[in-house]
Amino acid sequence: MSATELPLIGDYSTPAAALSGARIGVVTFPGTLDDRDAARAIRMAGAEAVSLWHGDADLSNVDAVVIPGGFSYGDYLRAGAIARFAPMMSKIVDAANSDAKLPVLGICNGFQILTESHLLPGSMIKNDHLKFLCRDQVLRVENNTTAWSNQYAQGEEITIVLKNQDGQYVADEKTLDALEAEGRVAFSYVGWNPNGSRRNIAGITNAAGNVVGLMPHPEHAVEAGFGPDHTGTDGLGFFTSVLTHLVGGQK
């Protein structure tokens, strides 16, 4: 096999110096599934992944935080309802709301935890078809000014993995109207709404743009040949976006 015929795996082993040195925390709860995938995506983007344990109350001087997917505490009561009371979440909430505006990305169960923690409005309930669903999902970038979406073009369509059972985003009409009017719908489903989420919402942001919740999984689409067929790498932009945000001094 010639050099030009090698597998389509990007070379992220030598990240740009400007992006090196950032520390991004990945929170693990009992029942978390995707913490290692999130950590790997962070490393591929060029940052250091720092493990954060739910029972600790020290953010370990991280520059941003990812709350990954899974079934924290077995989704007892409802998804994310117990995790919100973890000591680590108290620190994350305070840091996200502080003047420093710690960037926080909640993926799937992480999104559920962000709504339960009131960092984001609304709630997540079971899919309208009442089944677990796993598929490649097309999303439209509705807001490319957040800490986690600035490397995408406004209106760009990307394909990443979706896998959930409690993925239906719900909120009252007043909240939904405000999210749309204020540009806080960050990502929307394209083609087919896979879970019945109100107004095809796949992800939202807070007003400051530092906190983003997303139901699909960008960390499963960061390497060519191993992600969705579209390109396989559409999810990497979430992680390079936060590095660009940090390098820009917008912490």
Side-chain angles (χ1 to χ4, degrees):
M1 179 179 289
S2 69
T4 58
E5 295 174 326
L6 290 173
L8 300 174
I9 300 176
D11 180 8
Y12 303 102
S13 59
T14 54
L19 299 182
S20 300
R23 291 166 50 85
I24 301 181
V26 180
V27 185
T28 300
F29 296 92
T32 296
L33 299 180
D34 297 311
D35 44 353
R36 292 190 178 187
D37 300 74
R40 184 171 182 275
I42 289 165
R43 290 192 296 269
M44 291 186 72
E48 176 186 356
V50 179
S51 296
L52 299 176
W53 183 243
H54 70 105
D56 293 340
D58 181 3
L59 283 171
S60 300
N61 199 33
V62 297
D63 301 301
V65 167
V66 174
I67 307 175
F71 302 90
S72 58
Y73 297 95
D75 280 353
Y76 290 118
L77 299 183
R78 62 182 177 273
I82 299 177
R84 66 163 290 196
F85 294 106
M88 181 58 66
M89 280 309 304
S90 295
K91 292 296 184 180
I92 290 172
V93 169
D94 289 345
N97 287 328
S98 71
D99 291 341
K101 302 297 181 191
L102 179 77
V104 180
L105 174 65
I107 303 170
C108 195
N109 189 223
F111 188 5
Q112 295 159 344
I113 294 170
L114 291 181
T115 62
E116 291 289 338
S117 302
H118 305 296
L119 279 174
L120 293 174
S123 187
M124 316 298 298
I125 63 175
K126 289 196 180 300
N127 297 342
D128 58 354
H129 44 75
L130 303 180
K131 297 178 181 179
F132 179 86
L133 182 67
C134 182
R135 56 167 279 161
D136 293 348
Q137 179 64 51
V138 181
L139 305 178
R140 179 180 299 111
V141 180
E142 303 289 359
N143 181 341
N144 71 339
T145 66
T146 78
W148 299 93
S149 63
N150 60 72
Q151 291 300 288
Y152 297 107
Q154 185 75 13
E156 182 178 353
E157 293 188 0
I158 62 175
T159 303
I160 61 177
V161 176
L162 177 138
K163 54 175 190 177
N164 61 64
Q165 178 171 287
D166 296 80
Q168 183 179 178
Y169 179 76
V170 296
D172 59 70
E173 291 300 309
K174 181 178 179 181
T175 298
L176 293 170
D177 288 343
L179 288 172
E180 291 186 335
E182 296 168 10
R184 292 174 56 194
V185 175
F187 299 88
S188 62
Y189 295 114
V190 175
W192 177 55
N193 185 328
N195 45 39
S197 290
R198 302 299 186 267
R199 307 196 189 180
N200 297 318
I201 290 174
I204 61 175
T205 179
N206 66 343
N210 62 306
V211 179
V212 170
L214 182 77
M215 184 46 55
H217 290 258
E219 77 279 15
H220 295 329
V222 296
E223 188 170 4
F226 296 91
D229 290 339
H230 176 58
T231 66
T233 61
D234 284 359
L236 191 61
F238 284 82
F239 305 98
T240 57
S241 286
V242 73
L243 298 185
T244 300
H245 173 82
L246 294 172
V247 168
Q250 303 173 43
K251 291 192 290 182

